[in-house]
Structures are given as structure tokens and as C-alpha cells.
Amino acid sequence: MIGDQFPWLTAIILLPLVASLAIPFFPDKNGKRLRWYVLGVGMVDFILMCYAFWQNYDANSASVQLVEKYTWIPQIGLNWAVSVDGLSVPLVLLAGLVTTLAIFAAWQVDRKPRLFYFLMLVLYSAQIGVFVAQDMLLLFIMWELELVPVYLLVSIWGGQKRRYAATKFLLYTAAASIFILVAGLAMALYGDNMTFDMVELGMKNYPLALELLLYAGLLIAFGVKLAVFPMHTWLPDAHGEASAPVSMILAGVLLKMGGYGLIRLNLELLSDAHVYFAPVLACLGVVNIIYGALNSFAQPNMKRRLAYSSVSHMGFVLLGIASFTDLGISGAMLQMISHGLIAAVLFFLAGVTYDRTHTLIMSDMGGIGRAMPKVFALFTAAAMASLALPGMSGFVGELAVFVGVTTSDIYSSTFCTVMVFLAAVGLILTPIYLLSMLRQVFYGSDVAPTCVISDAGSQNQDNQEAVCFGTNCVLPTEAKFNDAKPREVFIAACFLLLTIGIGVYPKLATEMYDVKTVAVNTQVRQSYIQISQTNPQIFAKDFLFPKIAESNIASVSRIDK
């Protein structure tokens, strides 16, 4: 069959990258025809991945599929090894959808359009490469490749403090990614055979001390990308200064790389160390939820408020990963997918609002709901999804995490109760800061928005008061509060329909990865039971862990046999 022979994943990764090489020679000065070309590339790649997975991916198998492995640089053991399973398929589809719609959202860019669209396509390829890499060295290369386009997209097309925000993003993420390289080298060199293949790395039996060090290093690397407290401070600055299309990708895809890495490497390859670190992850998750919610409420800048909201929502991912339950880990995956859709549409609508008002300070926007009812309706629907309204994907994801932690038979009932109670506090704060944002932006006074732009006719982005991303940089008194255009309604509707669809019928997402997450959790639980048998005093047992059930010990004995 052609599905067994054609290199689907290689084609999906390389198509945007190869297409980007034609941009410098594209006969278009103002970018109006170029944008159609780039959008077409994004759509073709998304359709290609949908077709490849529909025809060749078996959701009932936990093993890797569509495996492609080619020798690349044998001197250092680097292979082009790519494949997918339940962890990568939904995130590849999410990356394709969000990036394609972000390209469509950047329709009005007219400042260096060739460079902008070139970077967007390179970023497209790098994101897919991270989620399908089965070679640790290849994963590191794709991880690093993704940093360069984001840095340039923020530093060139960003706001007042764009260079500071871009540099901070690069320093944080580049420094943290060194831990991926060091951990990969340590795992590859340990034992008799040197290999970077993740399947073979998972078969090695590492000493516990080494495994704990590897886990800690990877936790730092992925924790920075996931915006885990206290390694999160790059995120509000990057979101606050990035243009709306870049913020869509930052929130919708790049944060998910951290959660994916934790499940793929920390849980699947270092399951023994995860037993020791899981309570730490649970506590960090609760801190993220409450800290992010409180900081979000204190932000007068709309995009910074949404950025801290992302910090809060990523806490549920950590909590689900640490739950030791099938439902909890499934909820963490669902939360990543759900947040990717919701955060992308929220940042897109924040950009739509900024295009009209030329300010991100919510108190300066006045009551624009009456003038822009479509934007108001779309923004309200997205906010309802973010605050976990029943019937929306956010509700299903957070509920799965809550139930997964509550029903965990690994932690003591006291620990579960404390974690769930504290997480619920953050859940209560979420509607407060989101509804407050809607009130200030759409229900405020009828005073016209205020924003100082020194030269209305200039497209110069060195302006210290506004981001002239497109062609509509005008004086506030000349601003036209037009309602959402058909293109903008279409982009928002794509996200919102999927959000509602998953909320009403979660199997749209969960059936892609449930078999895989169950397999990962089974491996982690087996590690816990084996460690507890040899080390019954692990942690503060009375608070964290109950007595091991005899049935669990018996089940592990059967597995060992």
C-alpha cells in the first residue's frame, strides 16, 4: 500500500520549509499575492496530515506508527527518525490548524511581508518536527530551530518593548533547552550501545540517581516552555509585545511542547524518577493555577491578562500528569488541546480589538460592545470556554483532571483533598478575571479609546505607543470601530466550533490518545509499586501515599512474570 511506502511525516515536516525557500523569489512587492501562496502551503500541509492520519493511524495501538528512519550523520549517531503515536497525533493536528489560521490572521501585514511569511513557514516545520521526532538529537535540533523564528517575529513585529521581550524569550528557552541536549547525551552514552533512538533509550535500565538528575534537567527544560512557576516570567512579556498571529502560536502550540515533553520523556522514559517527582509536579501545578489567576486579575493590559491566564491553565496539565490515573493523564492531554484552541482564539480576538482601538489597556477601550457586536459575541464565547463553561472543551479537560486527582489511589486522601481544594480556588478566580475583562472592554463607559500616536501616517514600528502591524495605524479620533469582517469571523468560528464540538463529544479528541495515555500510566504505576516495595518510607508516607493495596502488588507480580 502507498501508506506503507510514502514518507508522510517527512513530507509534512519538509513541505513548509521547502516552500519557504521560494518566498525570496516570489514576484510580489506588497505581499498581497504572497499571503495567498503561504496560506495555500499551510492548508495543503494541514490537509496532508489529516489524510495521512485518517488513512494510516490506528488509534487502538499504543505503539509508534508511520515510522520513518534514515541515516543522517552517522559520525555522531544522528538519524532522521520520525513517527507518531497517541501523544503526538493530536498535537500535530493542533499545530497545523493553529499555524494555518495564524497565517490567515496575519492578512494585513505589510511590513517586510517576505520575511514575516518565511519565518511563519519555518516555524510551521519546526513545530511539527518536535512532535514527531523519535531521535533525541533530532528533537533538540527541532526545538532549537523553533526559537529563531519566534525571536525574530517578536523582535521585528512586536510592540513597544519587543526587543526586551524577544531577548528574554530567547535567553530563557535557549538556556533551558541545553538540559535537553545534556540529558539526551547522558542517556545515549549510558550502557553498552550509544543511541539517540527514544524507543531504545526507554529500554535502558538507568541507576536511580542518574534518572533523578535526568528528570530534574528535563523538568527545567520543559517547565520553562510550559511556563511553570517560577520559570514563567518570559511568557507575559512575550505575549504582551507579540503581534496577534504570533501570540496565537505561542499560546496555542509552543506551550504544549512543554507538556508533550514531560509526558513523552519524563513519564515514558524516566518513570521511576517520576514516582519521586510527581508530588512536586502536583504542588507546582496548584501554585501555577492560583498564582496565574491572581496575577491575571491584576493586569490592566488585555494580552498580559490572557498570558497569565495561560500560566494558570497550564497548572491543570501538571496536576493531571502527576495524578497516577488514566483519567488524570487523559485530562492533561485534553487540557492541552482545549487550551490550544481557546487561547489561540482569545489572542486572535485581542488583536482584532486592538486593530480597532489601538490600545491594549482595558480601561481605555470604553464600551465598544455596542459598536462591535460580532466581536463582542465571539469574545464572550471564547471567554466562556476559557472559564470552563459546561458544554465547552475547557470544562471537560479540567473536570477530567479534577476527577483523576480525586480518585487517585496512590496519594493519601488528605493530599488529594488539599490539592483539589487549592485548585478549585483558582477555578473560582478564573471567571472573575475573565468576566471583569469583558466588562471593562465591552461594557465600560462610552468614552472614546485613548491612545497617543505621534505620526498617524507613519508605518514605523519604533513608535513607543502603538504597534502598527498592518495598514490601520491612525489617530484614535480617526479610528473606525468596524465590526468583525468575514475573514475574522471565519477564523474565530473555526476555533469555537471545535471547542464546542469537543465539549459536547470529548471522544473527538480523546479517542486519538486514550490507548497511549493508559499505557503510559500503567508503566508509571508499575514503577511506583515496585519502588514502594523496596522503599516503603518513600516521602512523608502518612501525608502523600497510602498503604499499597495487595491487589496492586499481585498485579505487578503477574506483569513481571
Side-chain angles (χ1 to χ4, degrees):
M1 293 178 63
I2 190 171
D4 299 326
Q5 301 172 354
F6 188 79
W8 293 107
L9 299 181
T10 300
I12 291 169
I13 296 170
L14 295 183
L15 175 60
L17 186 61
V18 173
S20 69
L21 300 179
I23 290 179
F25 309 100
F26 204 86
D28 187 17
K29 294 182 179 180
N30 56 17
K32 290 184 178 180
R33 284 184 293 176
L34 177 61
R35 63 191 184 187
W36 283 106
Y37 167 75
V38 176
L39 178 62
V41 172
M43 292 178 63
V44 169
D45 205 45
F46 181 64
I47 293 171
L48 185 64
M49 64 180 69
C50 290
Y51 176 80
F53 297 154
W54 179 266
Q55 293 292 324
N56 304 291
Y57 172 68
D58 181 11
N60 296 316
S61 173
S63 60
V64 293
Q65 303 173 50
L66 295 174
V67 179
E68 301 167 20
K69 188 171 183 179
Y70 312 100
T71 301
W72 190 1
I73 307 178
Q75 291 83 356
I76 59 174
L78 175 60
N79 297 312
W80 180 268
V82 293
S83 63
V84 294
D85 59 10
L87 299 180
S88 46
V89 165
L91 296 177
V92 169
L93 292 173
L94 177 68
L97 177 67
V98 172
T99 309
T100 301
L101 291 177
I103 292 171
F104 200 21
W107 214 239
Q108 61 188 8
V109 63
D110 60 358
R111 184 169 189 263
K112 299 181 180 179
R114 293 179 189 272
L115 179 59
F116 181 88
Y117 289 123
F118 172 83
L119 294 173
M120 291 289 278
L121 289 182
V122 173
L123 180 57
Y124 200 144
S125 289
Q127 292 171 147
I128 305 301
V130 168
F131 292 129
V132 303
Q134 277 297 314
D135 185 282
M136 277 288 288
L137 201 52
L138 179 62
L139 172 68
F140 173 75
I141 292 172
M142 291 296 180
W143 193 280
E144 292 292 285
L145 179 62
E146 159 264 324
L147 301 181
V148 179
V150 177
Y151 170 78
L152 294 174
L153 287 167
V154 175
S155 62
I156 297 175
W157 291 273
Q160 175 184 348
K161 299 180 180 178
R162 58 190 180 277
R163 294 183 182 88
Y164 167 78
T167 303
K168 190 173 184 180
F169 161 80
L170 187 64
L171 290 176
Y172 268 64
T173 51
S177 62
I178 294 174
F179 290 98
I180 300 177
L181 178 61
V182 173
L185 289 172
M187 288 189 284
L189 295 173
Y190 181 81
D192 297 331
N193 63 317
M194 175 183 170
T195 178
F196 290 101
D197 187 272
M198 291 185 190
V199 175
E200 296 183 22
L201 292 178
M203 295 179 181
K204 291 186 177 183
N205 186 21
Y206 306 102
L208 182 59
L210 174 61
E211 194 165 319
L212 289 171
L213 288 174
L214 294 173
Y215 192 105
L218 292 174
L219 178 58
I220 294 173
F222 300 136
V224 169
K225 188 71 80 174
L226 193 64
V228 176
F229 177 88
M231 301 173 287
H232 69 285
T233 58
W234 65 270
L235 184 65
D237 291 319
H239 273 310
E241 303 304 322
S243 60
V246 179
S247 287
M248 290 170 66
I249 297 175
L250 272 173
V253 182
L254 299 192
L255 288 182
K256 312 309 173 289
M257 291 181 181
Y260 169 79
L262 285 175
I263 300 176
R264 170 68 70 197
L265 299 182
N266 292 54
L267 266 69
E268 194 171 14
L269 301 187
L270 306 172
S271 54
D272 288 351
H274 179 68
V275 173
Y276 291 88
F277 275 94
V280 178
L281 291 185
C283 294
L284 287 173
V286 169
V287 170
N288 256 50
I289 292 170
I290 298 178
Y291 171 84
L294 289 174
N295 273 275
S296 183
F297 185 71
Q299 300 301 314
N301 182 298
M302 178 167 41
K303 291 186 70 176
R304 290 183 68 89
R305 175 166 294 199
L306 294 175
Y308 276 108
S309 174
S310 294
V311 173
S312 180
H313 283 89
M314 289 302 97
F316 288 100
V317 176
L318 286 175
L319 203 55
I321 289 174
S323 66
F324 287 100
T325 62
D326 296 342
L327 186 58
I329 298 179
S330 176
M333 280 293 297
L334 187 56
Q335 177 69 359
M336 286 195 287
I337 298 169
S338 171
H339 180 266
L341 297 171
I342 296 170
V345 70
L346 280 171
F347 279 106
F348 167 68
L349 292 171
V352 171
T353 305
Y354 176 81
D355 285 343
R356 273 71 172 176
T357 63
H358 305 289
T359 181
L360 290 172
I361 304 303
M362 293 178 290
S363 60
D364 290 345
M365 291 186 183
I368 61 175
R370 190 180 306 171
M372 297 187 294
K374 292 179 184 177
V375 175
F376 169 51
L378 294 171
F379 220 131
T380 301
M384 294 300 108
S386 185
L387 60 81
L389 184 74
M392 311 286 263
S393 61
F395 173 78
V396 183
E398 293 179 12
L399 179 64
V401 172
F402 270 107
V403 176
V405 174
T406 304
T407 58
S408 178
D409 59 345
I410 301 298
Y411 298 113
S412 70
S413 58
T414 304
F415 184 79
C416 290
T417 302
V418 172
M419 292 294 103
V420 170
F421 174 79
L422 293 176
V425 173
L427 197 63
I428 294 170
L429 292 172
T430 304
I432 297 176
Y433 65 72
L434 287 174
L435 294 177
S436 171
M437 178 182 68
L438 292 176
R439 177 185 58 80
Q440 293 181 64
V441 173
F442 297 103
Y443 288 104
S445 66
D446 292 331
V447 178
T450 58
C451 173
V452 178
I453 302 179
S454 59
D455 184 4
S458 175
Q459 297 295 328
N460 183 9
Q461 285 195 318
D462 289 332
N463 187 294
Q464 296 299 301
E465 298 294 338
V467 185
C468 303
F469 180 69
T471 59
N472 57 352
C473 184
V474 298
L475 288 169
T477 56
E478 300 172 356
K480 296 180 181 180
F481 296 98
N482 298 322
D483 207 352
K485 300 174 183 177
R487 173 182 61 86
E488 296 165 336
V489 173
F490 173 80
I491 294 172
C494 288
F495 290 118
L496 292 175
L497 288 175
L498 278 173
T499 300
I500 296 172
I502 294 174
V504 174
Y505 189 68
K507 277 192 174 182
L508 286 174
T510 60
E511 66 181 0
M512 287 189 286
Y513 61 77
D514 265 346
V515 172
K516 180 63 179 182
T517 53
V518 169
V520 172
N521 186 52
T522 300
Q523 179 181 336
V524 171
R525 289 177 65 87
Q526 180 181 345
S527 294
Y528 164 70
I529 296 171
Q530 290 175 337
I531 290 174
S532 297
Q533 286 179 294
T534 58
N535 183 15
Q537 299 303 321
I538 180 175
F539 296 115
K541 197 174 183 64
D542 293 336
F543 178 61
L544 291 176
F545 300 114
K547 186 176 180 179
I548 309 170
E550 295 295 331
S551 59
N552 286 338
I553 297 176
S555 64
V556 173
S557 299
R558 288 194 295 271
I559 292 173
D560 291 340
K561 293 179 181 179

